Amino acid sequence: PGPFLLPTGDPSRGGTLVPVLVSPQQLVDAGAPKLTRDEELYALSLKDLVKGTAGDDAAAVVSGDALSEPQAAARLALSFLISGGGGAPGLHGLGRIPS
């Protein structure tokens, strides 16, 4: 377990931060509840769509794996910058910089 500061309410309305000792997994479970089977299938479908459209690096970032795969996030950001950040039409080879 580690120390974390959790809000007791809306900070703009007088809420305060309270220190708690919880494991990172407990913190994630509290902030992001478990998905239903339908929600999981939908998320996997979105990941597959992004992978087919923009490549493996973009799919890794969309699926939330950017922290465990920082190289993918870096390649994606580099690709976006190199392409001029042209937006969605065609995606200009987004996520296709060789590793």
Side-chain angles (χ1 to χ4, degrees):
F4 293 97
L5 292 174
L6 298 179
T8 59
D10 185 359
S12 65
R13 296 183 184 180
T16 60
L17 296 175
V18 177
V20 294
L21 286 175
V22 294
S23 72
Q25 186 61 48
Q26 289 172 312
L27 187 65
V28 168
D29 289 343
K34 299 282 185 199
L35 298 177
T36 65
R37 186 167 193 265
D38 288 339
E39 291 169 333
E40 284 186 40
L41 290 173
Y42 181 70
L44 289 172
S45 297
L46 287 178
K47 178 184 174 185
D48 289 343
L49 174 67
V50 170
K51 183 177 181 177
T53 305
D56 292 336
D57 292 337
V61 172
V62 166
S63 67
D65 293 335
L67 290 178
S68 63
E69 299 182 35
Q71 298 88 356
R75 284 191 303 265
L76 181 64
L78 257 173
S79 176
F80 184 75
L81 292 173
I82 289 170
S83 71
L91 295 177
H92 305 291
L94 192 63
R96 302 224 194 297
I97 291 180
S99 50

